Amino acid sequence: MSTATVPSVTTRPHPQGDGTTWTQLTEDVRQSGQYATRSKAEQVTRTVLTALGAHVIGDERVDLARALPEEAARLIASQIPATHPLTAAQFVDEVASRTPGATSATARWDVSSVLSTLPPLIGDDLVTRILAQLPAGYALLFGRADLTPAP
């Protein structure tokens, strides 16, 4: 993937969309995850968005960065795209490996706490497009039902 598709997040005014700021985003994560401090919510948000940035590619990556507050957009846009997609379980394990003392269960909580705050911020259409490019299983992490069509 060429770096030309990565948005310039340093020159573009933020926040866009509904005007959510980094502070509001991390406060939403703090409330969603019931974290005791804003500092913990910020750490979790950074870790999850950094991991996500490597797995969302193309126009969806650009649109995601544009929809997020500047600091979050930088986390998404600064990642080198992954060479192979991770299953949802592997993604959670990757987040666990980036978080000191985390288990798969706590990482799953962290991932869901962050990703479930994104749909109201970025819109259902973009979430649907992101989920279409990720392996099955991510929908639940975004707070959506993971429905599989009947055979």
Side-chain angles (χ1 to χ4, degrees):
M1 180 176 154
S2 133
T3 56
T5 61
V6 177
S8 172
V9 295
T10 56
T11 59
R12 184 166 36 81
H14 269 84
Q16 292 189 356
D18 70 355
T20 299
T21 65
W22 172 255
T23 301
Q24 290 166 322
L25 174 60
T26 57
E27 178 58 23
D28 288 348
V29 170
R30 189 188 68 74
Q31 289 177 12
S32 174
Q34 300 176 352
Y35 299 106
T37 66
R38 186 168 155 247
S39 175
K40 175 63 177 173
E42 283 188 8
Q43 179 264 320
V44 166
T45 303
R46 286 180 202 286
T47 302
V48 172
L49 291 181
T50 297
L52 183 65
H55 297 285
V56 176
I57 59 173
D59 290 341
E60 287 73 22
R61 177 184 172 118
V62 172
D63 292 346
L64 177 60
R66 285 184 179 150
L68 294 173
E70 183 175 5
E71 192 160 346
R74 278 193 212 123
L75 294 170
I76 296 291
S78 67
Q79 302 310 302
I80 296 170
T83 56
H84 64 281
L86 296 179
T87 66
Q90 290 170 328
F91 181 80
V92 168
D93 288 343
E94 179 181 321
V95 169
S97 75
R98 297 175 182 213
T99 308
T103 65
S104 287
T106 59
R108 189 170 37 256
W109 181 268
D110 292 345
V111 169
S112 292
S113 295
V114 174
L115 297 185
S116 68
T117 65
L118 296 184
L121 180 61
I122 67 173
D124 286 334
D125 178 59
L126 182 52
V127 172
T128 299
R129 290 172 37 220
I130 290 169
L131 291 174
Q133 72 172 222
L134 295 171
Y138 279 82
L140 290 173
L141 299 174
F142 279 87
R144 284 191 172 181
D146 196 6
L147 303 175
T148 306

